[in-house]
Amino acid sequence: MNQLTYDVIVVGASNAGGMAAAAAAEKGAKVLVIDKMKSAGYLYRYTIASLHSKAQQKAGVAIDQNELVNFLSTFAQGHVDERLLNLWAEHSSEAVDWLDDQVLKPHGAYMQSTPDAHYETERNRAFATGNEVTAADGKYWAMGYGNWVIEKAQSLGVEFAWQTKLEQLVVNNGRVTGVLARSTATNEQLALTATKGVILCTGGYGTNTALMQQWNPLGLKTNVYSDGQRDDGSGLVAALQIGAAKDEEPASIVFNRGAVPAGTNTEDFYAVDLTPPDDPGYLWLGSYPMLKVNLKGERFFNESAPYQYQPNAAAQQPGYLSAMIWTEATMTDQALAQYHTLGCSRLGFPGIFNGDEARAEVQQRVKEGLVKKADSVADLAKQLQIPADSLVATVARYNQEVAGGVDQDFGKEPSRLEPVNEAPYYGAIIGGRLLATLDGLRVNSRMQVMNQQGQPIAGLYAAGNCSGGFFWGSYPDHVPGLTASHAVTFGRLAGQAVAD
């Protein structure tokens, strides 16, 4: 930090924060970004949604704005501000194109549009929204490109103060004029002034168990891991302390990839502050719609659905967990390809899911005891602590339906029916992995934070997962890259708005 007074202070340096800082600096503002950790480049996401980006136009991908916005609103049962959805749709390509032109191409990387989003039933309605941050060789994502975003912001004059944590917002005459922050390295308190405004890009609250208990208590039971390593809710709390309004119901993005030991009690199992890529209990295969049963060994829902539907459905079952059952045969590339999954679970680039790596992960989890392997379904049930008679009967019934090509019990698509009839058999107890909470501060179309009376709080803006009105309940993962796009698009808009 070269000084204590800036035009704009951005709190948080990842997706929304980096974009907000660069956008404000492009308009001539003197910008400081504070971030409580030592770095943030590794947090930037690789699949970013948009409508009509240059990459999508090149690939011939066309998405109707009204169709998509109405889908998102319907998915959320209307618990969203459709004006924000339309604002995102109208500006999403600007953020993607800026990243492509200003950040990726100077480093030899580029945006690549995912040209398809396979689905067969309305339950799995999908949109080809993904733009992939692609490395120069075209074979994988440009990992770590977030560092290039930060470098770009620095080239525009943005300063970064790492290991600097927000403590509270400073308000004078009803206007936010700065922040009180503390160095986590020296414990020094800093009074920082923002003459134009403060932009909160602090993420959610998933690692703060007290806030989870207050705002999303069911999430503590259905999720067994929290992968939002830095989401302590500090920005939300600071804004609420000065009268900001927040979404009243929880929203989150959850992956059904959390393997836990058999017999786990979700009332007291919630592992937080994990560090990728060594996340314990990760099981990518969990996002594939194979046979899932409750802890009684009974099938209880259509496994072919958005990721989060599994922990949602399990919340209606004893123990809040599921067991996934599969065989060696269902792990071949040919078998995995038939599921046509989207986003990061898609088999092969532009997804991250790789058959060889997935099979290796399963074997590693077998060694750890999180995945069980057996020569019979009955033995597998005993290892999973599930009633053997029940699981044997369930598997037999499932195989009967697979053979007939029709899932009469729950209506799963025929293309996603795969037999479970050949040893060795595999099984794992699965819960949710909370990537992020998405219920945030109420904002208007200029990204200004609103108070309880629906009026903007002067000098205070928010973007990314700490901003609300955009999501409700479960995350629509069949719109690939939506959370990342929400962050970068609204971060860019917030930076532009505060600098005007």
Side-chain angles (χ1 to χ4, degrees):
M1 251 177 321
N2 296 327
Q3 59 191 62
L4 299 179
T5 298
Y6 295 82
D7 296 326
V8 178
I9 294 175
V10 179
V11 186
S14 68
N15 300 269
M19 293 292 283
E26 283 181 328
K27 283 185 166 286
K30 182 65 175 176
V31 182
L32 171 69
V33 179
I34 66 172
D35 191 285
K36 62 177 177 260
M37 304 303 283
K38 295 180 179 179
S39 63
Y42 68 95
L43 291 171
Y44 283 69
R45 309 304 294 175
Y46 306 107
T47 299
I48 306 173
S50 76
L51 287 77
H52 318 308
S53 70
K54 293 177 182 177
Q56 288 173 314
Q57 293 177 49
K58 181 179 179 180
V61 173
I63 298 170
D64 181 86
Q65 177 173 325
N66 284 333
E67 184 180 358
L68 178 53
V69 166
N70 281 314
F71 168 82
L72 293 172
S73 180
T74 301
F75 192 95
Q77 297 182 33
H79 292 271
V80 289
D81 185 341
E82 287 190 30
R83 295 169 298 181
L84 292 178
L85 297 181
N86 274 303
L87 184 73
W88 164 75
E90 291 160 5
H91 293 276
S92 58
S93 63
E94 297 169 18
V96 168
D97 291 345
W98 185 87
L99 283 169
D100 198 3
D101 294 337
Q102 300 296 320
V103 175
L104 300 179
K105 288 177 180 175
H107 289 86
Y110 58 96
M111 284 291 184
Q112 176 184 184
S113 171
T114 302
D116 64 295
H118 178 87
Y119 72 97
E120 298 175 33
T121 65
E122 193 60 31
R123 179 179 177 87
N124 284 315
R125 181 74 169 91
F127 294 81
T129 51
N131 296 272
E132 312 298 334
V133 176
T134 306
D137 62 8
K139 297 179 180 179
Y140 203 66
W141 287 327
M143 306 293 282
Y145 83 97
N147 292 314
W148 301 341
V149 177
I150 292 169
E151 291 169 6
K152 175 63 179 180
Q154 289 173 325
S155 74
L156 293 167
V158 176
E159 296 180 31
F160 286 78
W162 301 104
Q163 294 182 276
T164 303
K165 181 175 173 59
L166 170 70
E167 291 198 327
Q168 66 184 71
L169 297 166
V170 177
V171 180
N172 286 295
N173 298 318
R175 180 183 182 86
V176 173
T177 58
V179 302
L180 292 180
R182 188 175 298 277
S183 167
T184 60
T186 66
N187 204 39
E188 175 189 7
Q189 189 177 61
L190 304 166
L192 304 170
T193 298
T195 60
K196 289 181 176 290
V198 173
I199 308 175
L200 296 175
C201 301
T202 52
Y205 56 90
T207 62
N208 187 324
T209 53
L211 290 180
M212 283 290 292
Q213 187 62 56
Q214 179 180 352
W215 292 333
N216 190 2
L218 184 59
L220 279 177
K221 297 178 181 179
T222 57
N223 291 293
V224 288
Y225 299 102
S226 176
D227 291 345
Q229 294 81 9
R230 311 173 349 148
D231 290 351
D232 62 1
S234 55
L236 295 167
V237 170
L240 294 175
Q241 287 173 342
I242 65 165
K246 178 189 169 294
D247 290 335
E248 296 184 61
E249 295 182 287
S252 58
I253 175 171
V254 173
F255 284 170
N256 51 345
R257 302 173 188 169
V260 294
T264 291
N265 181 348
T266 60
E267 299 278 358
D268 54 25
F269 191 104
Y270 187 70
V272 301
D273 294 326
L274 309 175
T275 302
D278 301 319
D279 294 330
Y282 217 106
L283 189 65
W284 280 96
L285 208 62
S287 287
Y288 276 60
M290 298 167 183
L291 174 63
K292 311 280 175 62
V293 300
N294 62 18
L295 298 184
K296 292 183 177 182
E298 303 163 341
R299 193 171 176 223
F300 62 99
F301 80 120
N302 180 349
E303 302 92 344
S304 181
Y307 305 142
Q308 205 159 338
Y309 284 23
Q310 180 178 343
N312 289 351
Q316 312 304 314
Q317 305 298 314
Y320 303 96
L321 295 169
S322 312
M324 186 171 82
I325 312 297
W326 72 99
T327 70
E328 197 89 46
T330 54
M331 289 193 291
T332 65
D333 281 4
Q334 181 179 0
L336 294 174
Q338 77 180 29
Y339 291 113
H340 291 287
T341 56
L342 305 175
C344 57
S345 71
R346 184 181 179 121
L347 185 67
F349 187 71
I352 197 173
F353 195 79
N354 175 287
D356 289 338
E357 292 175 358
R359 290 183 285 272
E361 181 181 68
V362 167
Q363 297 307 320
Q364 178 60 36
R365 298 294 175 251
V366 170
K367 292 179 182 178
E368 296 168 356
L370 293 176
V371 169
K372 303 300 183 180
K373 183 178 181 180
D375 291 327
S376 71
V377 174
D379 183 38
L380 183 67
K382 293 176 183 177
Q383 293 188 53
L384 293 172
Q385 300 182 28
I386 290 174
D389 290 347
S390 178
L391 185 61
V392 168
T394 295
V395 170
R397 169 63 179 172
Y398 187 71
N399 285 333
Q400 181 183 15
E401 298 204 310
V402 172
V406 178
D407 180 6
Q408 299 182 47
D409 293 341
F410 293 98
K412 185 156 66 175
E413 306 96 315
S415 67
R416 289 184 158 191
L417 292 172
E418 184 76 16
V420 184
N421 60 2
E422 183 180 351
Y425 298 94
Y426 292 85
I429 303 298
I430 302 290
R433 300 193 80 99
L434 176 64
L435 272 72
T437 58
L438 304 174
D439 43 309
L441 303 169
R442 294 289 174 85
V443 295
N444 63 16
S445 60
R446 286 180 55 79
M447 302 298 107
Q448 293 173 290
V449 175
M450 311 298 282
N451 64 20
Q452 296 290 343
Q453 292 73 46
Q455 299 299 317
I457 298 174
L460 185 61
Y461 301 74
N465 294 346
C466 71
S467 67
F470 199 87
F471 297 102
W472 176 82
S474 300
Y475 174 69
D477 65 65
H478 288 9
V479 183
L482 185 59
T483 41
S485 184
H486 170 248
V488 299
T489 301
F490 284 3
R492 183 164 172 78
L493 290 177
Q496 292 171 340
V498 73
D500 281 344

